[in-house]
Each structure stands twice: as C-alpha cells, then as structure tokens.
Amino acid sequence: MTGQMTDGRRAGTDRRRRRVQDAIAAALRDGTPLTASAVARAARVDRTFLYRHRDLLEELHTSSTRPADTPPGTGPTVTPESLQADLANANARATRLATRVQQLEAHLSRQLGARAWTESGLGAPVDIAELQSNNTSLEQHNVELKQRLAEIEEELDAARAANRDLTRALNQRQ
C-alpha cells in the first residue's frame, strides 16, 4: 500500500512540475512577468513548491534573464548586463535623491526652528542685522581712532624730544 501512495505522490509532483514548466513557457510566449509568484499562480501550485524544487526555480531565473525573441529591427534587446547597468544607475539616482532629501529636510528644519524662535519672543530682535552692522562700523571706527592716537603720541614724543634738545641747547649757551 505504501508503494502505491509513494507512486501517487510522485505522479502528483510530476504533474505539478509539468504545469510549472508549461507556465514558464507560456509566460515567455505571452511576455508576462517571470516571477515566482506569477508562475506559481499560473501553474496552480504554491510558491514553496518552486523553492523546494531548485531546478524549477533555476529554470525560472534562467528564463527570466534570457532575452526575448524579437524580430530584428524592432528594438533593443534587454540583456542581463543592460539590466544590471539600469539597476546601478537607478541605485545611484536613489542615493542622490536621498542625499538631496536630507539636505532639504535639514534646511526646512533650520527655517522652521528660526521662525519658531522668533515668533516665541525668545529670539534676537528682528533688527539684529542692523545692530550687527552698526557694531562692525563702531569697531572699525575704534580701530581708526587707536591708530590716529598712536600717530599723535609718536608726534608728541618727537616734539617733546625736539623741545628737550632745544632747551638743552639754550641752557648750554647761557
């Protein structure tokens, strides 16, 4: 009895395997997507059936990477290399876009934070730029005054020295 059960189970597996192979062939003919879910659905088997039978899964993957039979001059042939290049380009674009999104989020965060700070009344006065400009000009004026004072002190020291020399010369004549 167990021999008959084993034979029946083996026959059921063979029927399912043929249905999977027929579903792959039909998908190739029709141009429908070759995915494990689509083939399993078309063959009326569970997806785990494909994963338990690695040769069928390999056949599915091999068939999905094989270029479709197209008449010459109808368009470019899709090859695994072209698909890999497209994937690499898409990944690079996704990385660039993710970086740009992070930059925009950071900018938006700064803008919203500054606005909230100002509106709360805790922030600096609105005319802060004018005050900073005024402060800068006053600091510059202070530097100029210090330079002028240093020049005047040098002139004064020179005048004092000349005055001492003249006084000494006058005193020596007497």
Side-chain angles (χ1 to χ4, degrees), residues 130-141:
E130 181 182 333
L131 292 173
Q132 287 176 337
S133 173
N134 190 21
N135 190 25
T136 303
S137 67
L138 288 174
E139 287 174 351
Q140 181 63 32
H141 185 66

Side-chain angles (χ1 to χ4, degrees), residues 15-58:
R15 281 191 305 273
R16 287 191 296 268
R17 289 177 63 82
R18 274 191 304 261
R19 286 197 317 250
V20 167
Q21 290 168 339
D22 292 343
I24 291 172
L28 283 173
R29 270 193 321 274
D30 301 340
T32 58
L34 276 171
T35 63
S37 297
V39 168
R41 197 175 315 111
R44 298 180 320 275
V45 297
D46 194 59
R47 259 189 4 223
T48 57
F49 182 81
L50 291 174
Y51 294 107
R52 281 194 313 265
H53 297 270
R54 289 293 191 184
D55 60 321
L56 291 175
L57 190 62
E58 183 62 34

Side-chain angles (χ1 to χ4, degrees), residues 3 30 43 46 68 70 74 80 82 87 95 116 157 170 174:
D30 301 340
D46 194 59
T70 55
T74 59
S82 69
L87 179 61
T95 301
D157 288 342
L170 280 174
Q174 294 177 358

